[in-house]
Amino acid sequence: MKTSGRALPSILAACVAASCQGAAGGGRLPAGGGRLVDRTPPAGYPAAPLEAIAPLDSPLTEARAQLGKRLFYEPRLSATGTVACGSCHQQAHAFADPAAVSTGVADRRGTRNAPALVNLAWGATFFWDGRAPSLEDQVGLPIENPVEMDLSLPDAVARLAADAGYAQAFRDAFEGAPPSEVALRQSLASFVRTLVSGDSPYDRHLRGDDAGFSEAARRGEALFLNEKAGCFHCHPAGPLTNEGFFNNGTYESGGDGGRAALTGRPGDTGKFKVPGLRNVAASAPYMHDGSVATLDDVIDQYARGGRGDPTTDPQIAPLPLSAAESVDLVAFLNALTDASFISDPGTVP
Amino acid sequence: MMQWSPALIFLVLCGGCSAPPPAAAVSSDGGASDRGSGDVGDGDGDDGVGSEPSDGPDGAATGSDAAAATGPGCPESPAPRRSGGTVVEIAVQPILQGRLMTFGAAHPLDGGGTLTLLNLRFYVSGVSLLATTGQQVDVDLVTAAGQPEPYGVHLVNAEDAASTTMRVLAPPGDYTALTFNFGLGDTCNLFDASQQHAPLSAASQMTWPHTGYLFLRYEGRFGGSASADGGTSELPPSIHMGGFPGLVMAPVMHVNTQLAVPAQGLLSRHLRLVMDEIFRGAQAAADLSRYIGPPGPEAIAGEHLRQTAPTLPIFVVAP
């Protein structure tokens, strides 16, 4: 989390968050409220409102988030006018792509799986290789990527400026300023920041409500958090990601080198960002290349100790899991699904 | 495996005796709480390392020092313990077999093979300097901007070059030793990471589900023929050294050195992290009869290291 982005003194933010969390479960809107910015932090995350953790130079407002939502679903941000962010990042799939890799303009295919957009307000870096240090940096790159939306940001801005409705929306959100690359990025980032999930059975379990947390999920959680499965080394309780980069055994020689392409460090070969796992059951397929189809297959891969490449992290080793334990782990992963998040009418057009 | 709460740990160790013992009585050898006032309720910058806040050689301590040293908890924005001083920059350099290691690069080993650092990070807290007068001088870890580090803690992360330099604000004078917690003092180690910011958030990669934090996290990869690497592939590929609040403390490291801190300007030193000694400690004999931590090999290696670290030349100050 960017420490420079805390706009409120921490004690004030905590007081505000406490009152917000008292009104609704994590991630949900207060009763009677429909504002995107009113999402409450889930359990396991710092109890400060979203506005308090937005960057100081990209303050989060409802107007910016709503504009960002329009832009997220706007196909005119692609060269052909046919592909929007939401074309690949689909709400029902936790804003991931159900295809292994995404198809952009002119049927061009990418090389990496479009990740779920869940709780990124608390993210440290973005993309599978962490090349974007902020959401504002991240959101512009798919627009410009030739195999995704293939439209330069200046051209994107020109299209928006030519639309009277967008021109007014930008003026309303940015103190009278017209559309610009910065405002485009900040709007999209603001919307993504409001994609908060915090009402899964696991989240309710963290808040002390185990009504929907099955015994199988409980057993699976215990395995997840102890050395038998050892998932916590990368997926700690709470955020379920330590925001780090690890080679989890998916990389195979000659494949996508991951973070090494960015850093030039041989030791980073095959390292990819640890994703958060909320709504993981909805965001198949898995891994950086979408090469693992189901959660059962994920557990199988980890149980085998990865695919055997020598670059695999030493923490990835064959796991002594019984068949029943594998089932319990999957039950725990299923308990991370927040039905309200993947069907929220507030985050679709 | 069940999660060990401090209360459960106490019951296991004491057989349900009625009153909790003082923390020092149940801490393992050389732990941070054995030092100084022994009051583990002190702020992290003071617990276990050094005596009560003392004046530097030129009496530079402020009136707020006593309050900062005995304040509760581990504040994210700790009050500075002294009003000024000279910045001493300490650049941490991992070395192995006498040669500097570069994060993410294959480090050639004597006898063949390589070792690549994949993850190396550790906390430093509770820093003090030993003056030539024999006085222990507590100093603040400060940011590049000269402000006290959040929580009074510095996370050295070999992946992040900027973090490998830490800074303390020291009174001018002559010193013969550097002392610090190789990890977190007990007050900060109590925290629920979910509500903390860097460097105590989950993104530090130093949290674990066994209460408290890791003090050191190492993962490395051996390459090349096992028979050609002089046996180093037998060394642990990962070491996770952690503690249990109130019971299992961070090791306190004493590093002899000669430091002449000027009245103005800047003093820079290198602090070599001798990985040979890290590995030695992780495999050294240790008493695990009262070990109550997790059973994973990396945690066991970490406990071996935690118990033996104060006796090993893990850190060496160089010009």
Side-chain angles (χ1 to χ4, degrees):
Chain A
M1 186 176 76
K2 296 170 80 70
T3 55
S4 63
R6 282 172 284 130
L8 294 177
S10 58
I11 188 171
L12 176 58
C15 291
V16 171
S19 63
C20 287
Q21 289 197 321
R28 307 193 77 175
L29 296 172
R35 294 177 0 125
L36 291 172
V37 298
D38 289 337
R39 265 51 176 177
T40 56
Y45 288 84
L50 290 183
E51 294 98 320
I53 61 173
L56 289 173
D57 61 359
S58 181
L60 179 64
T61 67
E62 184 65 16
R64 293 185 183 195
Q66 291 290 349
L67 173 56
K69 186 174 87 170
R70 288 177 63 184
L71 294 167
F72 189 84
Y73 293 104
E74 179 54 74
R76 283 180 287 174
L77 293 183
S78 63
T80 56
T82 60
V83 178
C85 307
S87 304
C88 301
H89 293 282
Q90 301 173 25
Q91 185 201 59
H93 299 278
F95 294 95
D97 193 336
V101 296
S102 298
T103 300
V105 298
D107 291 331
R108 298 170 195 159
R109 298 191 73 211
T111 59
R112 292 178 181 167
N113 180 251
L117 307 180
V118 183
N119 295 349
L120 298 185
W122 294 274
T125 59
F126 306 92
F127 288 116
W128 281 107
D129 55 13
R131 66 185 182 274
S134 71
L135 281 171
E136 284 72 11
D137 288 303
Q138 185 277 324
V139 294
L141 293 174
I143 296 173
E144 297 193 304
N145 190 322
V147 302
E148 298 186 55
M149 298 161 79
D150 195 22
L151 186 70
S152 74
L153 290 186
D155 286 348
V157 169
R159 292 183 180 187
L160 296 171
D163 181 302
Y166 271 120
Q168 184 62 51
F170 273 90
R171 285 193 293 271
D172 291 342
F174 290 92
E175 295 83 44
S180 67
E181 288 183 41
V182 170
L184 170 59
R185 291 173 180 275
Q186 290 183 349
S187 302
L188 282 166
S190 294
F191 172 64
V192 173
R193 217 162 252 129
T194 67
L195 298 178
V196 174
S197 175
D199 205 39
S200 66
Y202 172 68
D203 288 295
R204 295 194 292 273
H205 163 68
L206 290 180
R207 295 195 298 268
D209 173 10
D210 283 349
F213 200 63
S214 67
E215 281 304 310
R218 185 190 301 277
R219 291 191 299 268
E221 182 194 29
L223 288 165
F224 192 93
L225 295 180
N226 72 30
E227 274 68 16
K228 193 158 191 184
C231 313
F232 69 88
H233 290 301
C234 298
H235 299 282
L240 299 175
T241 171
N242 63 11
E243 299 286 328
F245 300 89
F246 293 85
N247 182 327
N248 72 347
T250 301
Y251 170 79
E252 294 176 281
S253 181
D256 184 344
R259 191 156 168 84
L262 188 70
T263 65
R265 295 190 288 240
D268 285 347
T269 300
K271 283 189 179 181
F272 294 90
K273 174 127 184 257
V274 177
L277 298 181
R278 278 175 173 75
N279 300 290
V280 66
S283 64
Y286 305 105
M287 308 304 174
H288 64 276
D289 54 0
S291 62
V292 182
T294 68
L295 290 178
D296 288 325
D297 293 336
V298 169
I299 302 303
D300 285 345
Q301 177 167 300
Y302 279 117
R304 291 195 308 272
R307 300 181 186 182
D309 192 87
T311 61
T312 301
D313 193 280
Q315 298 172 103
I316 303 296
L319 303 177
L321 295 175
S322 68
E325 288 171 330
S326 295
V327 169
D328 288 341
L329 269 174
V330 174
F332 172 66
L333 295 176
N334 280 316
L336 304 178
T337 300
D338 176 357
S340 66
F341 177 77
I342 61 175
S343 62
D344 181 0
T347 57
V348 291
Chain B
M1 175 180 160
M2 76 167 66
Q3 310 244 348
W4 290 86
S5 69
L8 180 59
I9 292 165
F10 165 66
L11 286 174
V12 167
L13 289 178
C14 297
C17 43
S18 58
V26 294
S27 71
S28 60
D29 54 293
S33 74
D34 292 338
R35 299 185 49 77
S37 67
D39 178 359
V40 296
D42 288 351
D44 182 71
D46 188 54
D47 64 324
V49 180
S51 59
E52 294 182 49
S54 54
D55 293 352
D58 63 350
T62 66
S64 65
D65 282 4
T70 59
C74 178
E76 184 175 359
S77 301
R81 286 188 281 184
R82 47 192 73 253
S83 60
T86 300
V87 172
V88 179
E89 284 191 344
I90 304 168
V92 178
Q93 296 178 313
I95 65 170
L96 180 64
Q97 297 176 336
R99 297 183 297 278
L100 290 177
M101 299 190 79
T102 300
F103 183 83
H107 183 90
L109 300 171
D110 295 346
T114 61
L115 175 64
T116 300
L117 280 178
L118 301 178
N119 200 355
L120 175 63
R121 51 188 77 206
F122 61 93
Y123 287 118
V124 173
S125 63
V127 183
S128 66
L129 300 174
L130 181 64
T132 52
T133 59
Q135 202 171 22
Q136 196 89 26
V137 178
D138 296 333
V139 295
D140 289 316
L141 283 161
V142 295
T143 65
Q147 297 303 309
E149 292 248 35
Y151 309 102
V153 167
H154 187 85
L155 176 64
V156 177
N157 172 13
E159 186 174 12
D160 173 12
S163 79
T164 60
T165 297
M166 52 186 179
R167 298 167 182 82
V168 297
L169 206 59
D174 296 316
Y175 302 92
T176 60
L178 168 71
T179 302
F180 54 90
N181 294 331
F182 190 7
L184 298 179
D186 219 40
T187 48
C188 285
N189 200 27
L190 283 167
F191 273 15
D192 168 16
S194 71
Q195 299 305 310
Q196 309 318 313
H197 302 113
L200 297 184
S201 66
S204 67
Q205 300 184 27
M206 300 294 275
T207 62
W208 62 349
H210 309 296
T211 308
Y213 289 80
L214 293 176
F215 300 147
L216 171 137
R217 180 170 182 165
Y218 159 79
E219 288 121 31
R221 182 172 62 235
F222 291 98
S225 164
S227 63
D229 67 1
T232 47
S233 64
E234 298 304 313
L235 297 176
S238 56
I239 302 169
H240 293 180
M241 178 178 77
F244 287 87
L247 292 171
V248 179
M249 316 300 185
V252 180
M253 309 303 291
H254 300 275
V255 186
N256 291 326
T257 185
Q258 300 297 320
L259 288 177
V261 177
Q264 293 177 333
L266 176 75
L267 180 66
S268 296
R269 287 291 182 271
H270 291 99
L271 183 65
R272 296 210 165 129
L273 171 63
V274 184
M275 294 302 295
D276 315 64
E277 300 299 329
I278 290 287
F279 293 133
R280 193 187 317 279
Q283 296 188 304
D287 178 8
L288 298 187
S289 60
R290 297 178 75 197
Y291 178 62
I292 53 176
E298 72 282 349
I300 298 285
E303 178 59 12
H304 280 259
L305 176 62
R306 194 194 64 80
Q307 291 189 24
T308 57
T311 67
L312 298 172
I314 291 174
F315 292 99
V316 177
V317 176

